[in-house]
Amino acid sequence: MFTVGTTNQPVRQEWIRTTLARIPEGLTLLDAGAGESTYKPYCAHLKYIAQDFGQYDGTGDVGLQTGVWDNSKLDIQSDITAIPLPDHSVDAIMCTEVFEHIPDPIGALKEFSRLVRPGGYLLITAPFCSLTHFAPYHFYTGFNRFFYEKHLPDYGFGITDLECNGNYFEYLAQEVRRVNTMASRYAGTKLTLLDKVWLKGSLWVLQRLSKKDQESSELLNYGIHVFARKK
Protein backbone atom coordinates (compact mmCIF):
# COMPACT_ATOMS: atom_id res chain seq x y z
CA MET A 1 0.00 0.00 0.00
CA PHE A 2 1.31 3.43 -0.96
CA THR A 3 1.07 6.18 1.66
CA VAL A 4 3.13 8.67 -0.31
CA GLY A 5 1.19 11.88 -0.94
CA THR A 6 -1.33 11.32 1.86
CA THR A 7 0.46 12.87 4.84
CA ASN A 8 -0.15 16.60 4.32
CA GLN A 9 -3.14 17.10 6.60
CA PRO A 10 -2.40 14.50 9.32
CA VAL A 11 1.18 15.72 9.81
CA ARG A 12 -0.01 19.33 10.00
CA GLN A 13 -2.77 18.47 12.46
CA GLU A 14 -0.37 16.60 14.73
CA TRP A 15 2.13 19.47 14.64
CA ILE A 16 -0.61 21.94 15.60
CA ARG A 17 -1.82 19.68 18.42
CA THR A 18 1.62 19.19 19.95
CA THR A 19 2.61 22.84 19.49
CA LEU A 20 -0.55 24.14 21.12
CA ALA A 21 0.20 21.85 24.06
CA ARG A 22 3.43 23.81 24.58
CA ILE A 23 1.46 26.97 25.38
CA PRO A 24 0.90 27.21 29.16
CA GLU A 25 -2.56 26.51 30.55
CA GLY A 26 -4.94 29.41 31.13
CA LEU A 27 -3.49 31.79 28.56
CA THR A 28 -5.67 33.60 26.03
CA LEU A 29 -5.34 32.41 22.44
CA LEU A 30 -6.76 34.16 19.39
CA ASP A 31 -7.49 31.85 16.47
CA ALA A 32 -7.04 34.34 13.61
CA GLY A 33 -8.88 33.23 10.49
CA ALA A 34 -10.50 30.48 12.54
CA GLY A 35 -13.08 29.48 9.93
CA GLU A 36 -15.00 26.57 11.45
CA SER A 37 -12.70 26.43 14.51
CA THR A 38 -11.25 23.08 13.49
CA TYR A 39 -8.53 23.19 16.15
CA LYS A 40 -10.58 24.46 19.07
CA PRO A 41 -10.58 20.95 20.62
CA TYR A 42 -6.79 21.26 20.97
CA CYS A 43 -7.24 24.49 22.96
CA ALA A 44 -9.18 23.16 25.94
CA HIS A 45 -6.40 24.34 28.27
CA LEU A 46 -6.56 27.88 26.84
CA LYS A 47 -9.04 30.77 26.73
CA TYR A 48 -10.05 30.48 23.08
CA ILE A 49 -11.26 33.35 20.85
CA ALA A 50 -12.26 32.71 17.22
CA GLN A 51 -11.86 35.48 14.63
CA ASP A 52 -12.55 35.42 10.91
CA PHE A 53 -13.77 37.75 8.17
CA GLY A 54 -16.81 35.48 7.89
CA GLN A 55 -17.57 35.98 4.19
CA TYR A 56 -16.69 32.61 2.69
CA ASP A 57 -19.75 30.36 2.41
CA GLY A 58 -18.30 27.28 0.72
CA THR A 59 -19.80 27.91 -2.71
CA GLY A 60 -18.27 28.86 -6.04
CA ASP A 61 -17.49 27.49 -9.49
CA VAL A 62 -13.75 28.20 -9.58
CA GLY A 63 -11.13 25.86 -8.15
CA LEU A 64 -11.62 23.69 -5.08
CA GLN A 65 -14.56 24.58 -2.84
CA THR A 66 -15.93 23.03 0.34
CA GLY A 67 -19.61 23.19 -0.67
CA VAL A 68 -20.75 24.34 2.77
CA TRP A 69 -19.14 26.48 5.46
CA ASP A 70 -20.26 27.43 8.97
CA ASN A 71 -19.38 30.90 10.28
CA SER A 72 -21.72 30.70 13.27
CA LYS A 73 -19.00 29.86 15.83
CA LEU A 74 -17.04 33.09 15.42
CA ASP A 75 -16.49 35.37 18.41
CA ILE A 76 -15.15 38.22 16.27
CA GLN A 77 -15.97 38.97 12.65
CA SER A 78 -13.49 41.45 11.18
CA ASP A 79 -10.67 41.97 8.74
CA ILE A 80 -7.59 40.12 9.99
CA THR A 81 -5.50 43.29 9.70
CA ALA A 82 -7.88 45.25 11.96
CA ILE A 83 -9.06 43.02 14.80
CA PRO A 84 -11.04 44.98 17.40
CA LEU A 85 -9.01 44.03 20.47
CA PRO A 86 -6.67 46.22 22.57
CA ASP A 87 -2.90 46.24 22.19
CA HIS A 88 -1.12 43.28 23.84
CA SER A 89 -4.46 41.76 24.83
CA VAL A 90 -3.74 38.13 23.93
CA ASP A 91 -1.05 35.69 24.99
CA ALA A 92 -0.96 33.71 21.76
CA ILE A 93 -2.21 33.75 18.18
CA MET A 94 -2.84 30.73 15.98
CA CYS A 95 -3.26 31.25 12.24
CA THR A 96 -3.54 28.00 10.28
CA GLU A 97 -3.81 27.74 6.47
CA VAL A 98 -4.97 31.35 6.24
CA PHE A 99 -2.13 33.47 4.83
CA GLU A 100 -2.82 32.48 1.22
CA HIS A 101 -6.32 33.92 1.66
CA ILE A 102 -5.22 37.33 2.98
CA PRO A 103 -4.68 40.16 0.48
CA ASP A 104 -2.11 41.71 2.85
CA PRO A 105 -0.32 38.96 4.85
CA ILE A 106 2.39 41.34 6.03
CA GLY A 107 -0.36 43.60 7.38
CA ALA A 108 -1.65 40.59 9.30
CA LEU A 109 1.79 40.05 10.87
CA LYS A 110 1.83 43.71 11.89
CA GLU A 111 -1.58 43.27 13.55
CA PHE A 112 -0.42 40.10 15.31
CA SER A 113 2.55 42.03 16.67
CA ARG A 114 0.20 44.66 18.05
CA LEU A 115 -2.06 42.12 19.73
CA VAL A 116 0.42 39.66 21.27
CA ARG A 117 1.98 40.61 24.59
CA PRO A 118 5.78 40.48 24.99
CA GLY A 119 6.79 36.88 25.58
CA GLY A 120 3.64 35.63 23.86
CA TYR A 121 3.33 32.98 21.19
CA LEU A 122 2.59 32.86 17.47
CA LEU A 123 1.70 29.66 15.61
CA ILE A 124 1.39 29.80 11.81
CA THR A 125 0.92 27.19 9.10
CA ALA A 126 0.46 27.99 5.42
CA PRO A 127 1.05 26.19 2.12
CA PHE A 128 4.39 26.30 0.36
CA CYS A 129 2.38 25.69 -2.81
CA SER A 130 -1.38 25.31 -3.25
CA LEU A 131 -4.07 24.89 -5.88
CA THR A 132 -6.82 27.48 -6.23
CA HIS A 133 -9.23 26.99 -3.35
CA PHE A 134 -11.81 29.04 -1.45
CA ALA A 135 -12.02 31.32 -4.50
CA PRO A 136 -12.34 34.24 -4.86
CA TYR A 137 -10.47 34.48 -1.54
CA HIS A 138 -7.22 32.92 -2.75
CA PHE A 139 -4.47 35.47 -3.34
CA TYR A 140 -1.17 33.58 -2.99
CA THR A 141 -0.23 30.03 -3.91
CA GLY A 142 2.10 29.77 -0.92
CA PHE A 143 5.00 30.99 1.20
CA ASN A 144 8.63 29.95 1.40
CA ARG A 145 10.51 29.78 4.72
CA PHE A 146 12.29 32.99 3.76
CA PHE A 147 9.02 34.91 4.05
CA TYR A 148 8.90 34.10 7.76
CA GLU A 149 12.63 34.48 8.36
CA LYS A 150 12.48 37.95 6.84
CA HIS A 151 9.20 39.37 8.16
CA LEU A 152 8.70 37.79 11.60
CA PRO A 153 11.80 39.48 13.09
CA ASP A 154 10.71 42.75 11.47
CA TYR A 155 7.60 42.61 13.69
CA GLY A 156 9.29 41.51 16.88
CA PHE A 157 8.95 37.73 16.69
CA GLY A 158 11.77 35.28 17.21
CA ILE A 159 11.34 31.94 15.47
CA THR A 160 11.47 28.98 17.86
CA ASP A 161 10.62 26.23 15.38
CA LEU A 162 10.28 26.18 11.59
CA GLU A 163 9.44 22.89 9.90
CA CYS A 164 8.71 21.86 6.33
CA ASN A 165 5.81 19.45 5.90
CA GLY A 166 6.55 16.85 3.25
CA ASN A 167 9.00 17.06 0.37
CA TYR A 168 9.22 17.26 -3.43
CA PHE A 169 8.25 13.61 -3.94
CA GLU A 170 5.38 13.71 -1.44
CA TYR A 171 3.94 16.81 -3.10
CA LEU A 172 4.10 15.26 -6.58
CA ALA A 173 2.41 12.14 -5.24
CA GLN A 174 -0.37 14.25 -3.72
CA GLU A 175 -1.07 15.69 -7.16
CA VAL A 176 -0.81 12.31 -8.90
CA ARG A 177 -3.61 11.18 -6.61
CA ARG A 178 -5.76 14.04 -7.92
CA VAL A 179 -5.33 13.17 -11.60
CA ASN A 180 -8.43 10.98 -11.87
CA THR A 181 -10.67 13.72 -10.47
CA MET A 182 -8.97 16.44 -12.49
CA ALA A 183 -9.23 14.40 -15.72
CA SER A 184 -12.98 14.19 -15.27
CA ARG A 185 -13.43 17.84 -14.33
CA TYR A 186 -10.99 19.58 -16.65
CA ALA A 187 -10.42 17.13 -19.52
CA GLY A 188 -13.92 15.66 -19.65
CA THR A 189 -12.62 12.12 -19.73
CA LYS A 190 -12.18 9.03 -17.59
CA LEU A 191 -8.85 7.36 -17.12
CA THR A 192 -8.21 4.10 -18.93
CA LEU A 193 -6.95 1.00 -17.18
CA LEU A 194 -3.51 1.70 -18.63
CA ASP A 195 -3.64 5.26 -17.26
CA LYS A 196 -4.44 3.94 -13.79
CA VAL A 197 -1.63 1.40 -13.96
CA TRP A 198 0.79 4.17 -14.96
CA LEU A 199 -0.33 6.36 -12.06
CA LYS A 200 0.02 3.51 -9.59
CA GLY A 201 3.50 2.91 -10.90
CA SER A 202 4.27 6.60 -10.45
CA LEU A 203 3.24 6.38 -6.80
CA TRP A 204 5.51 3.37 -6.32
CA VAL A 205 8.46 5.33 -7.72
CA LEU A 206 7.65 8.46 -5.70
CA GLN A 207 7.30 6.50 -2.45
CA ARG A 208 10.68 4.85 -3.04
CA LEU A 209 12.32 8.21 -3.72
CA SER A 210 10.63 9.89 -0.76
CA LYS A 211 12.09 7.28 1.58
CA LYS A 212 15.54 8.23 0.27
CA ASP A 213 14.86 11.96 0.35
CA GLN A 214 17.66 14.34 1.28
CA GLU A 215 16.23 17.81 1.85
CA SER A 216 14.17 18.12 -1.36
CA SER A 217 11.73 20.12 0.78
CA GLU A 218 13.88 23.16 0.02
CA LEU A 219 12.53 22.96 -3.55
CA LEU A 220 8.93 21.98 -2.87
CA ASN A 221 6.83 20.83 0.06
CA TYR A 222 3.25 20.88 1.30
CA GLY A 223 3.71 23.81 3.65
CA ILE A 224 5.70 25.50 6.39
CA HIS A 225 4.93 25.27 10.12
CA VAL A 226 6.21 28.10 12.31
CA PHE A 227 6.23 28.62 16.08
CA ALA A 228 7.55 31.97 17.31
CA ARG A 229 7.79 34.10 20.47
CA LYS A 230 7.20 37.83 20.79
CA LYS A 231 10.28 39.67 22.01
Side-chain angles (χ1 to χ4, degrees):
M1 180 178 178
F2 304 126
T3 60
V4 66
T6 66
T7 59
N8 186 353
Q9 184 171 335
V11 168
R12 181 172 65 251
Q13 288 180 334
E14 179 61 14
W15 183 87
I16 291 170
R17 185 189 69 79
T18 57
T19 303
L20 285 169
R22 295 169 62 181
I23 301 176
E25 183 176 356
L27 298 187
T28 298
L29 177 136
L30 174 68
D31 189 351
E36 296 184 310
S37 295
T38 301
Y39 299 113
K40 184 177 181 179
Y42 299 160
C43 301
H45 64 300
L46 303 169
K47 298 174 184 176
Y48 177 88
I49 303 171
Q51 177 278 337
D52 200 283
F53 79 141
Q55 296 178 28
Y56 180 67
D57 63 6
T59 64
D61 298 325
V62 178
L64 306 178
Q65 303 285 357
T66 61
V68 295
W69 196 256
D70 181 11
N71 290 307
S72 65
K73 301 174 183 178
L74 299 175
D75 300 301
I76 299 172
Q77 186 169 331
S78 72
D79 189 289
I80 200 168
T81 63
I83 299 172
L85 290 172
D87 293 357
H88 306 148
S89 58
V90 301
D91 301 295
I93 290 179
M94 170 172 63
C95 188
T96 61
E97 306 303 288
V98 173
F99 267 39
E100 71 271 30
H101 304 294
I102 305 172
D104 181 12
I106 296 176
L109 287 178
K110 181 179 180 181
E111 181 71 343
F112 296 168
S113 180
R114 180 185 72 83
L115 291 171
V116 177
R117 66 167 177 78
Y121 303 85
L122 177 62
L123 184 161
I124 299 175
T125 75
F128 181 98
C129 184
S130 65
L131 305 183
T132 300
H133 61 290
F134 286 32
Y137 308 108
H138 185 250
F139 305 106
Y140 303 89
T141 56
F143 298 84
N144 203 309
R145 65 179 298 155
F146 308 115
F147 173 86
Y148 304 106
E149 291 174 347
K150 160 61 180 170
H151 295 297
L152 284 176
D154 287 348
Y155 290 100
F157 290 100
I159 296 174
T160 302
D161 294 318
L162 188 151
E163 298 181 9
C164 295
N165 181 8
N167 58 45
Y168 176 85
F169 307 107
E170 293 286 337
Y171 190 95
L172 291 184
Q174 174 182 262
E175 298 312 311
V176 165
R177 291 178 180 277
R178 293 192 212 265
V179 170
N180 190 36
T181 300
M182 297 301 108
S184 176
R185 178 171 178 177
Y186 292 106
T189 188
K190 293 183 178 180
L191 299 183
T192 67
L193 178 60
L194 183 59
D195 294 332
K196 292 178 180 179
V197 170
W198 183 87
L199 291 175
K200 190 171 184 179
S202 298
L203 291 175
W204 180 83
V205 172
L206 291 168
Q207 179 152 298
R208 179 169 56 86
L209 295 174
S210 183
K211 288 180 178 179
K212 296 181 178 181
D213 181 70
Q214 297 181 25
E215 305 300 328
S216 69
S217 59
E218 69 181 17
L219 295 177
L220 180 64
N221 58 71
Y222 297 135
I224 308 290
H225 305 160
V226 183
F227 191 48
R229 296 287 301 271
K230 180 73 177 298
K231 296 177 181 179

